[in-house]
Amino acid sequence: MAPRRTRATERDRSRRVLSQNFLADPAAVARIVAAARPAPGDLLLEVGAGRGRLTRALAARCGRLVAYEIDPVAAADLAVTCADLPGVTLRRADFLAADPPAEPFAVVGNIPWSLTAAVVRWCLAADRLRSATLLTQLEYARKRTGHAGRWSRLTVLTWPGYAWRLAGTVPRTAFRPVPRVDAGILRLDRRAEPLLPPGEWPAYRRLVEVGFGGVGGGVAASLSRHRPRARVDAALRAVRLDRDALPSEVWPEQWITLHRLLR
């Protein structure tokens, strides 16, 4: 007998479109709060607050919290959950369309995974952002934090101003509905002291873009199209890199040293 087909409801379609996987495990919530490290005087922005399980835990530790939830059904549940929390402001709006606060703040959230790249871009563009603690697909968090010695272009480009690290993992069984993959807690911190003077960032980024350009395959071949080969070889030896090293195999600290040597 063929399995019975059920008609997808509007709520089911909304969950798929919004990539909604709500946290259901108190231990996972505690892990995210510990990674976020909120303090009593902090202003937090929560992305994708859902029904408020993480919201309540964050509100107990921070000074003020602005919780964004665009789905009207989840937002209604969130309003009930947070009705007794005076430090929480609910915004039934798109976080990505919001203006960043004019004061120092942090972002925390079990974000919609389909919007991960957009949320990260928003955070990087916010002048007063101190940190972002984001629950993403585990593979995304690994890619951004040098898992297995491989680094992404975005991480390397922003490394002088931001530290990226994998602050923990959350199993797929901690969510409802259960997604296909596990999650990673991605922690992004603005450096108190940048690793390069801001005036050097444009030249550093141009070097990284050239290195990741893919001309010739390895980083040496790409850089040698814009710098004398002898200088490139000497710089690679100084950071202990082979000529056939791929751009993703070069650590962010090595990129910074290459910039200084090839300036």
Side-chain angles (χ1 to χ4, degrees):
M1 185 176 184
R4 180 182 179 183
R5 289 183 175 270
T6 57
R7 183 185 297 274
T9 66
E10 183 178 351
R11 183 68 181 140
D12 293 332
R13 291 191 293 272
S14 177
R15 284 193 179 119
R16 284 196 292 272
V17 170
L18 297 174
S19 303
Q20 290 175 309
N21 298 99
F22 299 113
L23 280 170
D25 182 3
V29 171
R31 203 172 306 157
I32 297 166
V33 173
R37 305 193 303 272
D42 287 350
L43 168 62
L44 299 188
L45 272 57
E46 184 185 2
V47 190
R51 300 188 179 112
R53 184 178 286 266
L54 179 58
T55 310
R56 291 194 67 89
L58 290 170
R61 300 276 296 275
C62 73
R64 292 169 292 151
L65 190 150
V66 181
Y68 285 85
E69 178 52 58
I70 195 171
D71 175 32
V73 177
D77 294 339
L78 178 65
V80 174
T81 300
C82 300
D84 60 340
L85 301 176
V88 176
T89 300
L90 305 184
R91 297 276 172 82
R92 299 186 184 185
D94 182 1
F95 170 81
L96 294 174
D99 292 327
E103 62 185 287
F105 70 99
V107 171
V108 184
N110 171 27
I111 64 178
W113 288 355
S114 63
L115 299 178
T116 299
V119 171
V120 169
R121 285 195 301 270
W122 188 99
C123 291
L124 291 171
D127 292 337
R128 305 307 300 273
L129 176 84
R130 292 188 299 102
S131 68
T133 307
L134 306 174
L135 197 57
T136 73
Q137 287 186 342
L138 181 56
E139 186 55 33
Y140 180 92
R142 285 175 169 170
K143 179 180 179 181
R144 295 292 183 228
T145 55
H147 179 72
R150 300 272 179 163
W151 298 88
S152 75
R153 183 193 312 233
L154 179 62
T155 305
V156 175
L157 283 170
T158 58
W159 193 259
Y162 298 89
W164 300 69
R165 68 184 178 89
L166 179 61
T169 60
V170 174
R172 57 192 289 271
T173 52
F175 299 90
R176 295 295 181 275
V178 179
R180 295 180 180 179
V181 297
D182 294 333
I185 304 173
L186 176 64
R187 175 80 185 194
L188 177 63
D189 285 281
R190 183 188 295 274
R191 300 187 189 278
E193 292 292 334
L195 301 181
L196 288 173
E200 293 188 23
W201 288 13
Y204 168 78
R205 289 168 179 159
R206 285 195 297 270
L207 179 79
V208 173
E209 292 287 5
V210 168
F212 272 86
V215 178
V219 66
S222 295
L223 294 179
S224 295
R225 291 175 61 88
H226 297 266
R227 301 288 194 282
R229 175 167 177 165
R231 286 188 62 196
V232 171
D233 288 346
L236 292 176
R237 287 195 299 270
V239 296
R240 299 183 179 181
L241 282 173
D242 295 330
R243 276 194 59 84
D244 59 353
L246 298 175
S248 61
E249 296 172 337
V250 182
W251 286 58
E253 293 85 354
Q254 292 174 311
W255 279 108
I256 291 174
T257 303
L258 287 173
H259 160 74
R260 289 169 173 156
L261 293 173
L262 297 172
R263 227 175 0 186

